[in-house]
Structures are given as structure tokens and as C-alpha cells.
Amino acid sequence: MRVDNIAIWYDAMARFVFGKSWKRIQSVAISELNAHQQVLILGGGSGAILEQLNTPKITYLELSKKMISQAQVRPIKGTIDWVHADFLSWQTVQKFDAIYCPFFLDVFPESELNAVIEKVKKSMKSGARLYVLDFQRGNGFQRVLTELMVLFFRIFSGLKANRLLNIHSILEQGGFRLEKEELYYGRWIFYRVFKLSH
């Protein structure tokens, strides 16, 4: 993906679509992530969440170098390991107490999403939690808007996904069990907390 192509537009687009609620939506995981010692953030974008995080060790993986540059100028607490990489190509033996995926899993086609989920599982400590903030099928207007967003990202960033998958169902098939759920915009955006079921 050519994510640097959309880095300067991403936050502005989100604010245009979601208005003042965008900042609140980005903050839904703060209190739970702050309860962990080692947190992995996948696809954190320009890093708005970092200003409120107060966890000792954060690994921040982002495919866009421009997004990382924007995140690095934010006031940050704790220690951050900045990783400019594709998650599927990234090599690490480190395991984490929490993994946060903010609008990250929806960029993958199903074949790659299954591989991402397997890698997430291998990166989790025993008893760790997976926190997911993402889109799902909403009402008719929201589905049209989702399709337009997918088309935009396919054209300008080389997004591989061509439709919105049922991320929740695929996570459950991958061995995750739902612990908590919050829904926004009439179920269009979900925040869910998962734990491995075995």
C-alpha cells in the first residue's frame, strides 16, 4: 500500500465524516490500554491516541513514514518504539499485554486478514487482550459511504481489500472470544475487546 499518499488527508477526512465525535471515538480504548505494561499499536496513524496514553512501553507500528512523523511530534508519556513496517513482514520475538488495532484490520483482504490474526495471536502474552476499533455494516447510507471510502483508498493508496469483511466473525473463527462491546453511529463503528479462548 502507498499509505504516504493519504497521510495528509486522513485526519481531515475523518473529521469531515464524523465531526467532533472523531476525537471521542479515538479515545474509547484509553483507560483499558493504560492498565497494561506493554502495548502494541498496529496502524495508529498520526498518533492522536498517544497524547492520552500513560503506559510504560508502547510499540507503535505504522506503514506510513509520514504518519509516524506526525505522531512523533505529539506530547507523549512513556517509552515508544517506533516501527515503520508492514505488520506481516515485521519480525519480532516480543510479546505484548495488549494489542490495539484502530481501523487496521479492515484494510486486509480475507486471505491476508487470517494471516494477520495468526500473527497477532503469536504476539500476545498469556492472558493478553486484543482491542479492536473498526467499521462494520451499518445502514444503507453508511454502506454506500463505506464503499466510497474503500474505492478512494484503493485508488490513492493501493488498498487490497475490496469490501468490508465481518471482522468480528473472522476473529471468533481465529480463536478469539468477545469480552466487551461498544457500538457507535448506529452500529457502524464498533469497539470490541477480545481474549483468546484457549
Side-chain angles (χ1 to χ4, degrees):
M1 286 180 62
R2 305 179 301 275
V3 287
D4 277 347
N5 290 353
I6 60 168
I8 61 173
W9 304 107
Y10 185 84
D11 286 337
M13 287 174 53
R15 287 192 296 269
F16 175 76
V17 174
F18 299 107
K20 294 180 180 179
S21 299
W22 181 239
K23 187 173 183 179
R24 178 172 60 86
I25 290 170
Q26 289 183 300
S27 303
V28 295
I30 294 293
S31 61
E32 288 167 309
L33 293 178
N34 279 341
H36 295 286
Q37 295 295 308
Q38 290 183 302
V39 174
L40 170 62
I41 298 177
L42 298 176
S46 61
I49 192 174
L50 296 175
E51 296 183 8
Q52 300 177 67
L53 277 184
N54 190 21
T55 188
K57 184 71 170 67
I58 299 168
T59 298
Y60 196 87
L61 185 145
E62 171 57 55
L63 186 57
S64 168
K65 199 167 187 178
K66 289 183 179 178
M67 290 285 199
I68 289 178
S69 296
Q70 292 175 35
Q72 287 176 326
V73 301
R74 295 183 182 274
I76 298 167
K77 301 175 184 177
T79 301
I80 297 188
D81 180 17
W82 302 99
V83 180
H84 174 224
D86 181 321
F87 178 59
L88 285 174
S89 302
W90 180 47
Q91 300 296 319
T92 184
V93 296
Q94 189 173 0
K95 294 184 181 292
F96 302 88
D97 304 304
I99 298 179
Y100 181 44
C101 299
F103 303 102
F104 173 74
L105 298 178
D106 63 359
V107 306
F108 298 97
E110 189 166 2
S111 58
E112 290 190 3
L113 181 55
N114 288 319
V116 168
I117 290 171
E118 287 304 308
K119 188 161 185 175
V120 164
K121 288 162 62 175
K122 292 177 182 178
S123 301
M124 297 174 71
K125 292 182 180 179
S126 176
R129 298 294 188 275
L130 172 64
Y131 301 88
V132 181
L133 180 65
D134 221 316
F135 293 104
Q136 61 185 8
R137 288 177 63 86
N139 61 36
F141 172 75
Q142 291 165 344
R143 288 196 292 272
V144 170
L145 190 55
T146 300
E147 290 173 3
L148 289 174
M149 288 192 294
V150 169
L151 179 61
F152 173 86
F153 286 113
R154 283 178 64 83
I155 293 172
F156 291 99
S157 72
L159 177 72
K160 294 181 182 179
N162 58 12
R163 62 188 176 92
L164 187 61
L165 299 173
N166 187 334
I167 295 170
H168 186 163
S169 176
I170 294 172
L171 283 169
E172 287 188 331
Q173 292 170 20
F176 284 93
R177 174 172 54 84
L178 179 67
E179 284 196 334
K180 177 181 177 180
E181 175 184 69
E182 294 178 10
L183 302 174
Y184 304 92
Y185 287 92
R187 303 182 64 86
W188 189 28
I189 292 178
F190 69 84
Y191 169 64
R192 293 185 176 119
V193 181
F194 294 90
K195 181 181 179 182
L196 282 171
S197 56
H198 51 78

